[in-house]
């Protein structure tokens, strides 16, 4: 049971005050279809930035343009994934102010559910919860120019041609950029003061979320893999530094598509010395990591999901009561899980 | 009259590994971050003050700087961080999105209750369509990734290698550049190059001239000319006896 190996950096129960317990997940995110990450509307180029290629030698002086998967682009779909299951198992609560079901970004966080306790909320008046899941902008290994494709979109008329009945040519001709399949992003996710079940919940959200970015039925497929888990009393290097260190290890001229296994080996080499950093107490071995993932998959399995999610939700019970008493809410919407919204 | 509570000060550099956002100012739907990092924010970020995960009741409407910072004021002090080079900003658009399949942008708010739509069209105000009291769409001016800030840390606390700053918990690297002794200079007229927190100035200090950067929770002062005792750390001269909430009235 490798989750026990992390016990020194796991909380036994949710507590309202921080203690120095950090769990760092090193995540490899690989696109499996065309994907779109933009900060502005359609027609804008992909989200990218000029950064140092690596941390050593010539790489340190070379500036390349890398794709960026912003922290907000990661966290939103991962939260939504978990919330879908909270909703299905009736573990979202109603908001005491307007009686509506807990909802992301709509002014009605319930302040009671697993998602509210873990990822936080800000609400006018009622209170606020800081997130204990800290994400970072993730970067592509390869330069944007190697991994971005261009597509010309022809708007075709109903008759199936580029000309309408009066033979006017379609003007809706457009090129748009997309990120190619097989592009790797490396990422560091930090969990602060989480319990074993909260860890299972968050890791499940990361492993099972499969679509990111501008979403339609054909784009945005992405596969997440956890390459390393650390326990510490401090934060570990950033996603950008991880990408740069991995780039240094990879050496030689690189080409898209990168071989995934080579990349994984290189990034594992890059994080190997994080073990010796000040404040790091746990680094899961490969076997322990496999065990941890199996443990998470078991808890999320069809057979165990319901009892797992209910147990996790139940763990906040005493903290919910405190909140309810303090606010002296009317008995009306208090603590009542409600029906699934259609 | 003045004694030095801190023998040593560390000069540190803060390197922004991610864009950093503080809501310093608001102009219509744009939220501006100023090119400075307040020392209260830094104290929380360095983990020297414990702040709860959940804010409730009074704490949501009123920060508790005085209660939090005064207990550590004898052991620790940090100056506001000033940019090392010309600061670079970036603009980003933000949009709140719902997890419902159907949603609509109404009075600065994402509404998800489709059944309320007919009521809304009749001019009625169903609860789910009332305006939001926090912004759901707009623009952010952020401190760009790669900016470097410098500041001085007084006291013997161990500093972490990385901290999180601002509303989006942006990762920032902490590099300790060097450690120097703090020397007391006798009463006189001095010019300070460093950014200072206006509420941390000692009460008896005579300020002659300064520029003000108005940001919450406390204004930042630069180019201060003052009369009084001073501390010197290498080349840096600042008023002596700077400490958290030195002017007494800080909670606004
Ligand atoms: Zn909730």
């Amino acid at each position: 049971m490798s989750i026990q190996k992390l016990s020194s950096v796991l909380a036994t129960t949710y507590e309202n005050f921080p203690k120095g317990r950090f769990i760092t997940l090193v995540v490899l995110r690989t696109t499996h279809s065309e994907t779109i990450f933009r900060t502005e509307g359609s027609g804008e180029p992909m989200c990218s930035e000029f950064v140092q290629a690596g941390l050593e030698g010539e790489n340190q002086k070379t500036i390349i343009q890398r794709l960026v998967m912003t922290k907000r682009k990661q966290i939103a779909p991962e939260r939504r994934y978990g919330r879908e299951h909270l909703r299905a198992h009736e573990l979202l609560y109603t908001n005491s102010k307007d009686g509506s079901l807990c909802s992301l970004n709509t002014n009605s966080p319930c302040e009671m559910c697993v998602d509210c306790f873990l990822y936080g909320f800000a609400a006018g008046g009622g209170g606020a919860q800081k997130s204990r899941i800290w994400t970072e902008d993730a970067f592509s290994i390869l330069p944007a120019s190697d991994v971005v494709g261009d597509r010309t979109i022809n708007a075709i008329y109903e008759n199936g041609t580029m000309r309408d009945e009066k033979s006017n040519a379609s003007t809706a001709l457009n090129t748009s950029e997309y990120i190619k399949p097989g592009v790797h992003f490396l990422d560091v996710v930090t969990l602060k003061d989480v319990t074993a079940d909260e860890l299972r919940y968050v890791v499940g959200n990361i492993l099972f979320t499969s679509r990111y970015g501008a979403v339609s039925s054909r784009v945005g497929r992405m596969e997440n893999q956890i390459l390393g888990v650390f326990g510490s009393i401090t934060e570990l290097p950033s996603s950008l530094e991880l990408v740069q260190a991995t780039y240094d290890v990879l050496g030689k001229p690189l080409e898209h598509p990168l071989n995934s296994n080579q990349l994984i080996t290189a990034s594992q080499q890059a994080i190997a010395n994080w073990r010796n950093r000040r404040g790091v107490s746990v680094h899961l071995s490969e076997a322990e990591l496999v065990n941890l993932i199996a443990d998470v998959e078991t808890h999320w399995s069809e057979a165990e999901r319901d009892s797992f999610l209910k147990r996790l939700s139940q763990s906040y019970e005493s903290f919910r009561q405190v909140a309810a008493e303090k606010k002296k809410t009317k008995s009306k919407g208090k603590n009542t899980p409600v029906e699934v919204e259609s | 009259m003045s004694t030095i509570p801190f023998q040593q000060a560390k000069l540190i550099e803060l390197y922004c590994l991610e864009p950093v956002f503080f809501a310093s100012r608001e102009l219509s739907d744009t939220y501006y971050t100023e090119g400075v990092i307040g020392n209260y924010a830094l104290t929380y970020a360095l983990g020297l003050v414990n702040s709860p995960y959940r804010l409730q009741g009074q704490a949501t409407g009123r920060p508790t700087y005085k209660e939090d910072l005064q207990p550590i004021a004898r052991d620790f002090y940090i100056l506001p961080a000033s940019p090392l080079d010309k600061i670079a900003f970036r603009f980003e658009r933000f949009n709140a999105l719902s997890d419902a399949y159907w949603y609509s942008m109404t009075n600065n708010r994402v509404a998800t209750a489709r059944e309320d739509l007919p009521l809304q069209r009749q001019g009625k105000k169903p609860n789910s369509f009332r305006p939001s009291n926090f912004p759901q769409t707009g623009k952010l001016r952020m401190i760009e990734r790669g900016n470097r800030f410098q500041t001085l840390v007084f006291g013997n606390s161990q500093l972490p290698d990385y901290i999180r700053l601002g509303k989006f918990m942006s990762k920032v690297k902490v590099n300790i550049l060097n450690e120097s002794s703090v020397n007391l200079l006798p009463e006189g007229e001095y010019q300070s190059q460093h950014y200072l927190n206006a509420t941390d100035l000692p009460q008896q200090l005579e300020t002659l001239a300064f520029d003000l950067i108005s940001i919450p929770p406390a204004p930042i002062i630069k180019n201060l000319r003052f009369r009084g005792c001073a501390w010197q750390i290498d080349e840096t001269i600042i008023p002596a006896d700077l400490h958290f909430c030195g002017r007494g009235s800080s909670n606004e």
Side-chain angles (χ1 to χ4, degrees), chain A residues 179-197:
Chain A
I179 300 165
K180 294 174 182 170
V183 174
H184 301 99
F185 291 82
L186 277 174
D187 197 10
V188 172
V189 178
T190 308
L191 318 185
K192 189 77 203 297
D193 298 313
V194 296
T195 63
D197 277 347

Side-chain angles (χ1 to χ4, degrees), chain B residues 135-177:
Chain B
Q136 312 238 318
T137 171
K139 268 191 195 155
L140 310 173
R141 182 175 87 160
M142 312 167 89
I143 294 168
E144 178 63 302
R145 192 192 317 275
N147 275 290
R148 294 181 302 157
F149 290 81
Q150 260 193 8
T151 189
L152 282 168
V153 179
F154 298 85
N156 291 321
S157 345
Q158 243 210 353
L159 302 177
D161 294 335
Y162 297 90
I163 56 172
R164 298 277 180 162
L165 281 181
K167 178 147 191 297
F168 302 123
M169 302 292 279
S170 309
K171 201 163 191 171
V172 171
K173 191 167 192 186
V174 179
N175 297 316
I176 300 172
L177 301 180

Side-chain angles (χ1 to χ4, degrees), chain A residues 14-16 18 49 71-72 80 83 87 98 103-107 111 121-122 127-130 132 134-137 139 190 192-193 235-238 241 277-278 323, chain B residues 17-19 50-57 60 90 92-94 96-99 109-110 112 127 131-134 136 145 158-159 161-162 164 168-171 173:
Chain A
Y14 168 77
E15 289 167 64
N16 203 21
E49 263 176 61
K71 52 210 290 172
R72 282 176 283 163
R80 269 199 293 266
R83 293 174 60 91
R87 193 175 298 117
D98 60 7
S103 182
L104 268 180
N105 291 323
T106 55
N107 234 11
E111 313 185 12
F121 59 84
Q129 172 99 34
K130 292 174 192 162
R132 287 175 290 138
W134 301 350
T135 51
E136 285 178 43
D137 293 348
F139 290 83
T190 308
K192 189 77 203 297
D193 298 313
E235 271 209 72
L236 296 179
S238 66
E241 289 164 304
R277 291 184 70 93
R278 176 156 60 94
Chain B
L17 288 157
E18 296 188 284
N50 231 351
S51 65
Y53 283 119
R54 184 163 291 202
L55 300 171
Q56 281 176 317
T60 58
R90 77 145 93 189
E92 249 178 48
R93 176 154 276 291
F94 71 92
L97 280 182
S98 154
D99 49 354
R109 151 159 214 178
V110 183
T112 53
N127 216 340
S132 163
N133 46 10
F134 64 94
Q136 312 238 318
R145 192 192 317 275
Q158 243 210 353
L159 302 177
D161 294 335
Y162 297 90
R164 298 277 180 162
F168 302 123
M169 302 292 279
S170 309
K171 201 163 191 171
K173 191 167 192 186

